[in-house]
Structure formats: C-alpha cells, structure tokens
Amino acid sequence: MSFFLIAKQASVCLDSSLVLTDCSLEVPGGLMVAIIGPNGAGKSTFLQAALKRIPLVSGSITMAGNDTKGAIAYLPQKKEIDWSFPITAIEVVLMGRYLSFGWFKRPRALDWQAAMSALRQVGMESFAHRQIASLSGGQQQRLFLARSLLQN
C-alpha cells in the first residue's frame, strides 16, 4: 500500500511552547481524509507543518514523496485572512491559478472563466464581484473551497 502522508513522532513549537507532541499518522493515497478534534488540539499546526509552513522540532512528515506541489489544498482559518483587504470574491478564487500563470503575468480569459465555474460549483457565482468582508462566515469558507477546487 502506498501512503500519501506519513508523520513519525512529529513535534512543533510555536512561540516557544510545544503545541504538537510526537504525532504519528499514516494516510493511504487516494483517500479523502478529515482531521477533527477540539479547538487548540493542533490540527492546523499539523497541516502547516506538513506543508512546511512551520518547522518541526523533531520527527518527520513526508507527503506525496516530499512533492507537495498540487497535492494538497489548504483552507485557511478565518483569523489568517485580512478581511479588510480590498479584493473581490472572484479575485480570491483566481489565486488558485497563480502557480499556473505566475506572479507577474495577468490571468487569461480562460482563468477568469475557470474561477467563475469554481464559484458556481459552491453556489457563490452571484457574489463574484463582492468584497470579501461583505460575505458571511459560511460564504467566506465556500469562497476558499472554490479556490481549492480551482487548484484541482
């Protein structure tokens, strides 16, 4: 059996506090998996460490043979977003295509159509041109799900 993710005794410190201790997990390839637990249990910290956004202090996490590009889509927590930033819903979704066209190139008509299609999939096409702060909490989560869908 091949594994998509293998964590072996992974530990993480944040602000000099140990927040994840000796976490071990094996996730077979080809499955959809949810990590559930109470607030403050370390779910987001684990995912951030798996994505190499924060360092491990011990142990290891290997994902997709160390190649995470395109392997995972991360829906950020509400507190990680600057909701006052002047950006529309469709522009947020379009960020899911940045790896395909790069930072200094403009999105093509095909990219805009794909972003609108992703918004349609989550029932948000009528909110495409609204500023993100004007959306409800559930709408904001659906917006980031649409961005993840656009990443394939």
Side-chain angles (χ1 to χ4, degrees):
M1 174 182 296
S2 72
F3 289 95
F4 171 73
L5 183 140
I6 300 172
K8 295 181 181 176
Q9 297 180 308
S11 297
V12 175
C13 279
L14 294 176
D15 298 325
S16 66
S17 295
L18 195 59
V19 294
L20 191 65
T21 308
D22 294 328
C23 179
S24 295
L25 173 70
E26 292 181 339
V27 177
L31 295 180
M32 259 194 210
V33 177
I35 300 172
I36 60 173
N39 290 346
K43 302 176 300 289
S44 295
T45 299
F46 174 78
L47 290 173
Q48 298 243 10
L51 292 169
K52 298 181 179 12
R53 293 178 71 184
I54 57 175
L56 294 172
V57 293
S58 64
S60 65
I61 302 177
T62 306
M63 199 162 45
N66 281 332
D67 180 16
T68 59
K69 183 178 179 184
I72 193 167
Y74 175 72
L75 274 69
Q77 291 193 33
K78 191 171 176 102
K79 66 181 181 180
E80 296 178 36
I81 307 299
D82 177 2
W83 295 106
S84 66
F85 190 78
I87 191 169
T88 64
I90 196 165
E91 290 168 327
V92 168
V93 173
L94 195 58
M95 289 177 184
R97 281 278 173 104
Y98 279 178
L99 287 178
S100 68
F101 60 79
W103 284 101
F104 298 107
K105 294 182 183 171
R106 293 189 177 263
R108 304 166 305 223
L110 183 65
D111 297 312
W112 287 100
Q113 291 167 0
M116 187 58 85
S117 176
L119 281 169
R120 194 172 299 111
Q121 285 180 291
V122 299
M124 292 285 296
E125 68 271 24
S126 63
F127 298 92
H129 301 289
R130 290 198 33 200
Q131 202 273 340
I132 59 173
S134 69
L135 303 174
S136 72
Q139 291 168 334
Q140 290 169 344
Q141 285 301 99
R142 287 192 292 164
L143 176 67
F144 282 93
L145 179 58
R147 184 180 76 175
S148 296
L149 290 171
L150 195 61
Q151 289 175 299
N152 293 323

